[in-house]
Amino acid sequence: MKLTVLGSGVFKPRTVRYPSGLALTIGGETVIFDAGCGTFMRLVEAGINYEKINYIFITHLHIDHTSDLLQYLWAYHLDREKDLHLFGPPGFKRFYKTLTELAPQFSHLPFKVRVREVDDNDVISLPFCRIEVARTYHVDELTSICYKVKADKKTFGYSGDTGYCERLIEFFRNVDVLVLECTVLNEQKLKTHLIPRECGEIATKAQVKKLVLTHLDLDLEKVKKQCSENFCGEIIVAEDLMRIEI
């Protein structure tokens, strides 16, 4: 497996950091996790053929994780033939319906869009990998989920946006590469997002081999230093277009 970071920033885009998005390549397939604004173009910049994307997984329905879903559909709306599979938390079907009512072209696409809602303890079996789902806590008004991918005798985890919860430790136990959001520093503790200390604690207790911090809009040297106080393994501060072997 190979991970490409498409967006490592927050809801306020920067030229060097677009909002959330990851591409996970497994053999000849690339799976997308979250589709924040600009991440479709990052996919193109990374040299990944967007026409071959068949699976997109969404962690929650905030716009900085979903807005480029429309860009994917628009790129496909004339000549794609293969089904597109979209996965997201409870409420995703209604969200997708509302989103695609913005343009009439989306009502008669030349391919099937298969939208599936997933939630805690669900398992998605694809021909090339197994993906497990767990519920997390981000904000009261939306359900937020995280994903764990098993393929090629390796395991990859991605938290999406989340506050601290013990479930993350058990769910991500022994993963090879774990991507955690890390939005604010320790001294700015929020209920709805992880801080470096919590990221380090999760990675240590879960015995994670490699930790990747994303969803960043803060002092990067300080975030890594604060995280390393609780985790002695490899810590990578994500950057857009960064590639990581799993």
Side-chain angles (χ1 to χ4, degrees):
M1 287 193 282
K2 179 182 291 185
L3 177 68
T4 303
V5 179
L6 304 178
S8 58
V10 293
F11 67 96
K12 294 180 179 179
R14 313 295 186 193
T15 55
V16 295
R17 291 185 186 279
Y18 288 175
S20 297
L22 301 171
L24 184 66
T25 300
I26 307 167
E29 290 275 358
T30 296
V31 177
I32 300 300
F33 291 92
D34 283 338
C37 177
T39 55
F40 181 88
M41 286 306 300
R42 287 288 198 232
L43 189 76
V44 175
E45 290 179 68
I48 299 172
N49 187 349
Y50 68 85
E51 294 180 349
K52 293 186 176 181
I53 299 299
N54 299 313
Y55 303 94
I56 299 176
F57 292 81
I58 300 299
T59 59
H60 66 289
L61 302 181
H62 280 157
I63 294 302
D64 59 325
H65 292 251
T66 59
S67 63
D68 265 16
L69 282 175
L70 288 180
Q71 180 60 70
Y72 281 94
L73 296 178
W74 195 249
Y76 297 147
H77 84 281
L78 292 177
D79 54 9
R80 182 184 173 101
E81 297 179 355
K82 195 170 184 180
D83 291 358
L84 180 66
H85 299 264
L86 305 180
F87 299 82
F92 186 46
K93 287 184 177 180
R94 181 181 177 186
F95 178 87
Y96 176 82
K97 183 178 183 294
T98 302
L99 198 66
T100 52
E101 286 173 348
L102 295 173
Q105 288 87 349
F106 295 141
S107 66
H108 51 270
L109 294 166
F111 59 95
K112 294 286 187 182
V113 181
R114 304 195 179 276
V115 182
R116 177 177 166 185
E117 293 184 358
V118 292
D119 203 350
D120 202 37
N121 296 316
D122 281 344
V123 176
I124 303 121
S125 295
L126 302 181
F128 53 91
C129 71
R130 171 190 169 96
I131 300 178
E132 300 175 14
V133 182
R135 185 177 285 208
T136 63
Y137 173 76
H138 179 37
V139 291
D140 291 338
E141 63 269 21
L142 292 173
T143 299
S144 184
I145 56 178
C146 60
Y147 295 102
K148 180 170 61 180
V149 182
K150 296 181 178 180
D152 300 334
K153 298 181 179 179
K154 296 286 187 177
T155 309
F156 163 77
Y158 172 47
S159 71
D161 287 4
T162 180
Y164 183 86
C165 57
E166 293 291 327
R167 178 72 191 280
L168 294 169
I169 296 167
E170 188 56 39
F171 185 68
F172 291 129
R173 189 168 300 282
N174 297 320
V175 302
D176 293 284
V177 173
L178 175 59
V179 179
L180 291 179
E181 69 113 313
C182 190
T183 305
V184 295
L185 295 169
N186 288 346
E187 55 268 29
Q188 301 165 314
K189 169 65 180 162
L190 294 173
K191 180 183 178 183
T192 54
H193 287 284
L194 295 175
I195 57 177
R197 182 183 69 248
E198 293 169 335
C199 292
E201 181 178 332
I202 291 166
T204 294
K205 289 183 176 180
Q207 297 181 301
V208 168
K209 296 178 178 65
K210 186 182 299 185
L211 175 62
V212 181
L213 303 177
T214 191
H215 207 263
L216 302 161
D217 187 33
L218 38 77
D219 185 326
L220 301 181
E221 289 188 8
K222 192 170 184 180
V223 71
K224 188 171 184 178
K225 181 178 182 297
Q226 288 186 347
C227 185
S228 66
E229 292 170 359
N230 289 76
F231 179 62
C232 60
E234 182 178 359
I235 301 170
I236 297 173
V237 176
E239 298 176 4
D240 288 19
L241 300 177
M242 176 183 281
R243 287 184 169 87
I244 300 167
E245 291 286 342
I246 299 173

